[in-house]
Amino acid sequence: MKFLNARIWLILFGIFLLIGSLSGIGSVESEASKQWDGVDLTGRTLDIAASVEVVWVLNVALWGAAIIAISLLVSGHSLARVGVVAIVTVTLSQIVVATYLGVTYDYGQSAGGPPWQFFIILALAIVTLVACIVNWKQKPIRVDASVHA
């Protein structure tokens, strides 16, 4: 098995997104308070801020599940090509949303920058993207029918 196996890296990336995001579902109120520091989060405002966290967690979890499904259902160069699209889409969507919330609503500004998990996800995304790009022109596996006759 080669190191830059697109299927393996996509599955790992998907698992990390799925488990990593769902592990935070029980702490959405404390995460909301941390990300919206300086805002009086009580009652309804805390509910709304926690809802933003829930939506984000579930969004990332569904991305992870979709990437796992893609890596199990697609093969060869098609997997590498779909993998590139998936990794770029997931990464850009999360960066755009975080940046928009930060610039527009001061989301996460008092937290001192991105959490350490962001850098792990980014590193994993880069390795997975490289694995997919390396396998972009992978030749389809041909099975000789005379061997199985």
Side-chain angles (χ1 to χ4, degrees), residues 87-133:
I87 296 301
V88 169
T89 304
V90 169
T91 305
L92 284 180
S93 68
Q94 298 309 303
I95 290 172
V96 167
V97 169
T99 302
Y100 177 79
L101 287 174
V103 169
T104 308
Y105 300 106
D106 293 331
Y107 178 84
Q109 300 304 311
S110 61
W116 61 269
Q117 296 96 327
F118 169 79
F119 297 105
I120 293 173
I121 293 170
L122 187 60
L124 188 55
I126 291 169
V127 172
T128 306
L129 183 62
V130 168
C132 290
I133 290 170

